[in-house]
Amino acid sequence: MSDVLVKLAEVLEARKSADPSSSYVASLHDRGLNKILEKVGEECTETLIAAKDAERSGETRELVSETADLWFHCMVMLSSLGAGPQDVLDELARRFDLSGLEEKASREQK
């Protein structure tokens, strides 16, 4: 499953330095972190709306599509800040043997 994330991360890194007029990813980086964050927020909102619609309809196609958009833009954000999907996967793995309550308590103590 993570092979797709690795490949996407490689493409995103390569496109950071592409011509902004020919690459959506390059255009986001060219416009700066605030624009990238705006897109993450927009996709987050669209994902939430799609989840509510899926709850009513039982159809998840739009929810999956919006979640893919959100993940994509989160990966652009991570890339912009020098991080990537492996960092997130490592953090999830670190939390794997913790209960959610234990993990949350460990963050509150920091």
Side-chain angles (χ1 to χ4, degrees):
M1 182 178 357
S2 65
D3 287 348
V4 172
L5 296 177
V6 169
K7 289 176 187 174
L8 179 56
E10 290 170 356
V11 169
L12 293 178
E13 280 302 311
R15 292 194 182 156
K16 274 169 94 168
S17 59
D19 179 357
S21 67
S22 65
S23 167
Y24 175 68
V25 171
S27 74
L28 287 174
H29 285 288
D30 187 59
R31 293 163 76 187
L33 182 60
N34 283 347
K35 182 60 179 177
I36 294 168
L37 297 177
E38 180 183 308
K39 288 301 296 180
V40 170
E42 176 185 316
E43 297 303 339
C44 181
T45 299
E46 290 173 0
T47 301
L48 296 174
I49 292 167
K52 291 302 285 183
D53 291 345
E55 179 183 45
R56 284 190 295 276
S57 71
E59 172 55 53
T60 59
R61 187 171 2 119
E62 189 66 24
L63 173 60
V64 170
S65 177
E66 292 299 343
T67 301
D69 290 346
L70 176 59
W71 285 15
F72 175 87
H73 286 89
C74 284
M75 287 184 63
V76 173
M77 174 188 65
L78 288 166
S79 173
S80 173
L81 296 167
Q86 191 60 53
D87 299 302
V88 176
L89 293 172
D90 290 347
E91 177 61 15
L92 289 171
R94 183 191 70 77
R95 296 178 186 186
F96 196 79
D97 291 327
L98 296 174
S99 78
L101 296 175
E102 289 173 326
E103 196 284 324
K104 186 171 190 238
S106 74
R107 284 187 281 144
E108 291 172 354
Q109 293 173 5
K110 290 181 183 176

